[in-house]
Amino acid sequence: MTLVFHYVSGSPFAWKVWLALEHKQIPYDLRVLSADAGDLKKPGFLAISPRGKVPAIIDGGFTLYESSAIVEYLEDAYRDCGGPLWPRDAQARAVARRIAAEADAYIYPHVRKLVVELVMRREGEPDATAVAQARAALTQEFALMARSLQGPFATGPEPSAADFALYPMTAALARISARRPDHALDAVVPESVNRWKRQIETLPYFDKTMPPHWRNS
Ligand SMILES: N[C@@H](CCC(=O)N[C@@H](CS)C(=O)NCC(=O)O)C(=O)O
């Protein structure tokens, strides 16, 4: 039975899983949900993902939510499929896991703050203090991340789940930056990180995983 992948366009955590599925060449049935339409709070979806969040998968009778757990599951359950999600070397593997954890824990919250203030806000002015704090925090985080990225991919010659975790956050920041040039957010990301980002965009499956709603706007 084909693995079912529940996805919302633009979710960085769901994008991480999509890149992982493609990298491992695992066949999947993509179910695109809409948060705006209330799909994430419907009983059928809550039975799969009780927090009402994407990503979530169903593999046979097995359901799983939380992107990092899903990535680990894909690696373990589909060991012989496609490319590995983590480097073989123990130290490189540990560093890749650390980068993926840092992307989720230290980069995402600030990117999310910028999305809320600069993209999603429908009324009033953005909270300038919150924007400045997020910008300053991301400047520090990306400077730290730049020291970790080996090149051409996060931990060396092959892409890993570290790349798949970090890329969507960086892409989201680039998108906000393009939409709100007045905030000079492109200055937050060092050139070495941009070089790494362009490398991810050369992956043969990358285009397929672009958030569908980004294609038109
Ligand atoms: N820690 C979770 C985070 C998942 C998450 O926050 N997903 C967001 C989209 S980026 C979501 O589904 N939000 C819907 C909501 O909170 O209503 C993971 O790694 O999967």
Side-chain angles (χ1 to χ4, degrees):
M1 200 183 290
T2 308
L3 183 149
V4 177
F5 170 37
H6 293 275
Y7 168 88
V8 166
S9 184
S11 159
F13 300 105
W15 198 352
K16 179 205 302 189
V17 167
W18 200 353
L19 286 163
L21 283 165
E22 283 291 330
H23 184 67
K24 288 200 69 71
Q25 298 172 11
I26 298 169
Y28 56 89
D29 171 3
L30 179 70
R31 303 269 170 93
V32 181
L33 305 182
S34 163
D36 289 344
D39 292 345
L40 302 185
K41 308 303 171 204
K42 288 183 179 159
F45 183 66
L46 289 173
I48 299 160
S49 179
R51 295 182 202 279
K53 291 181 190 277
V54 287
I57 61 164
I58 310 175
D59 193 20
F62 178 62
T63 63
L64 188 64
Y65 55 92
E66 283 296 320
S67 59
S68 302
I70 294 171
V71 163
E72 295 295 345
Y73 170 76
L74 297 178
E75 181 72 333
D76 291 343
Y78 293 87
R79 194 155 291 283
D80 299 327
C81 283
L85 287 173
W86 300 108
R88 188 180 291 271
D89 172 77
Q91 292 181 2
R93 197 174 175 97
V95 171
R97 285 200 162 102
R98 194 200 71 210
I99 290 171
E102 288 179 295
D104 287 4
Y106 301 116
I107 293 186
Y108 174 71
H110 305 300
V111 173
R112 173 75 190 160
K113 178 61 79 181
L114 293 177
V115 170
V116 168
E117 291 298 330
L118 301 178
V119 181
M120 290 170 69
R121 179 181 281 281
R122 299 228 163 84
E123 290 172 0
E125 287 301 306
D127 177 340
T129 307
V131 170
Q133 282 173 350
R135 192 183 185 286
L138 285 171
T139 303
Q140 270 193 344
E141 289 300 333
F142 277 108
L144 196 56
M145 194 54 87
R147 286 161 46 186
S148 293
L149 299 180
Q150 297 284 307
F153 295 102
T155 55
E158 300 298 333
S160 76
D163 299 281
F164 304 152
L166 181 60
Y167 180 86
M169 319 264 173
T170 318
L173 183 61
R175 184 172 157 89
I176 309 165
S177 169
R179 291 179 147 209
R180 299 297 307 261
D182 46 321
H183 290 276
L185 293 170
D186 44 356
V188 162
V189 180
E191 179 44 32
S192 61
V193 176
N194 279 322
R195 216 171 23 250
W196 158 85
K197 179 172 172 285
R198 289 192 292 273
Q199 187 68 34
I200 306 300
E201 290 159 3
T202 67
L203 290 169
Y205 45 80
F206 171 79
D207 281 347
K208 186 176 178 181
T209 70
M210 275 282 286
H213 81 281
W214 287 19
R215 294 173 195 276
N216 314 318
S217 62

